[in-house]
Amino acid sequence: EDKVVQSPLSLVVHEGDTVTLNCSYEVTNFRSLLWYKQEKKAPTFLFMLTSSGIEKKSGRLSSILDKKELFSILNITATQTGDSAVYLCAVEGLNSGGSNYKLTFGKGTLLTVNP
Amino acid sequence: DAGVIQSPRHEVTEMGQEVTLRCKPISGHNSLFWYRQTMMRGLELLIYFNNNVPIDDSGMPEDRFSAKMPNASFSTLKIQPSEPRDSAVYFCASSPSPYGGGSPSYNEQFFGPGTRLTVL
């Protein structure tokens, strides 16, 4: 069964700090890894990673994938209170029937940024 | 575009009752997903449709759960009979399918606001 483990489960920092969120996975026939941000409502897409070593960047957020060691990190620099959210990691792998790809999510990391 | 629309936003029901959750995907998207989120289990994919056809329902927990997509603009998730352990937030999401076949485009997946279900 596919598995996605995120760490830490929760994190409290002060504005301006830099944080690193971790995601490790075990999946059959990996195709991609995705990061989402979930505030009070639905998850919103941040990044999709398919290749090792290529950093994806969007403003103060960046992410990188290591397909050999089966993990990804999400970095947030100069954190702001608006970054407070649950960050979800999900991995796309072949389903048990081998016919389609499906997403398996981790439990998420709850990030709280205090002013 | 209004985004993915779900109704109701909140539902409180008693154990044993039938519950029907509704979803209208983004126009032009041909993949539709139903997810369930709980504190214990996180976010789980229940079922997804491509071009109105169920592709993978391996995440549907039991026979009490069923989902339909009678046309491209409407889907339902039904629980009958409901149980307290079904209490969760149920999200519907949609995406285009540039790969064709049954493979959706998860990086273009948009979630609806969710339905918070409480079964007493």
Side-chain angles (χ1 to χ4, degrees):
Chain A
E1 188 174 310
D2 296 348
K3 204 159 102 171
V4 179
V5 177
Q6 291 187 245
S7 63
L9 287 181
S10 66
L11 189 55
V12 180
V13 301
H14 290 289
E15 265 193 319
D17 289 350
T18 293
V19 298
T20 298
L21 310 183
N22 304 292
C23 176
S24 64
Y25 63 89
E26 294 173 26
V27 66
T28 304
N29 286 353
F30 171 92
R31 185 155 86 171
S32 70
L33 183 145
L34 298 96
W35 285 97
Y36 292 84
K37 178 182 182 182
Q38 185 174 24
E39 295 173 88
K40 296 218 188 285
K41 300 186 252 183
T44 54
F45 171 77
L46 292 174
F47 297 113
M48 181 181 193
L49 301 142
T50 55
S51 302
S52 280
I54 298 174
E55 186 183 52
K56 291 276 181 98
K57 211 166 161 59
S58 175
R60 295 176 295 101
L61 277 67
S62 63
S63 183
I64 199 158
L65 174 66
D66 185 329
K67 287 165 74 173
K68 186 178 171 192
E69 300 297 330
L70 308 182
F71 78 91
S72 173
I73 59 171
L74 175 68
N75 278 322
I76 309 175
T77 58
T79 51
Q80 302 172 357
T81 55
D83 295 327
S84 296
V86 173
Y87 289 84
L88 296 168
C89 173
V91 174
E92 190 182 6
L94 211 54
N95 70 357
S96 54
S99 56
N100 294 288
Y101 285 89
K102 62 183 289 186
L103 273 190
T104 301
F105 281 83
K107 295 263 178 72
T109 293
L110 173 61
L111 174 65
T112 303
V113 182
N114 290 325
Chain B
D1 197 325
V4 176
I5 298 172
Q6 290 187 246
S7 65
R9 297 292 304 277
H10 301 272
E11 175 85 21
V12 180
T13 191
E14 292 190 343
M15 184 172 68
Q17 296 297 306
E18 176 181 301
V19 174
T20 299
L21 311 182
R22 296 173 177 79
C23 175
K24 177 176 164 50
I26 292 172
S27 177
H29 283 188
N30 48 6
S31 289
L32 182 139
F33 312 82
W34 282 102
Y35 291 90
R36 176 174 69 174
Q37 188 172 38
T38 61
M39 290 290 291
M40 288 293 293
R41 300 176 66 90
L43 191 62
E44 303 171 279
L45 177 64
L46 300 178
I47 184 171
Y48 79 84
F49 294 85
N50 184 257
N51 293 326
N52 312 339
V53 175
I55 301 299
D56 188 336
D57 66 354
S58 58
M60 295 286 261
E62 308 172 30
D63 291 347
R64 298 184 297 106
F65 286 69
S66 62
K68 291 183 181 177
M69 192 164 185
N71 58 62
S73 57
F74 183 65
S75 177
T76 58
L77 178 68
K78 187 179 289 188
I79 309 172
Q80 181 184 20
S82 58
E83 296 183 3
R85 60 194 168 117
D86 302 330
S87 298
V89 179
Y90 290 82
F91 289 105
C92 175
S94 70
S95 81
S97 294
Y99 304 119
S103 296
S105 174
Y106 287 111
N107 63 324
E108 294 176 274
Q109 179 178 214
F110 291 89
F111 284 78
T115 295
R116 182 173 295 277
L117 173 65
T118 303
V119 183
L120 303 173

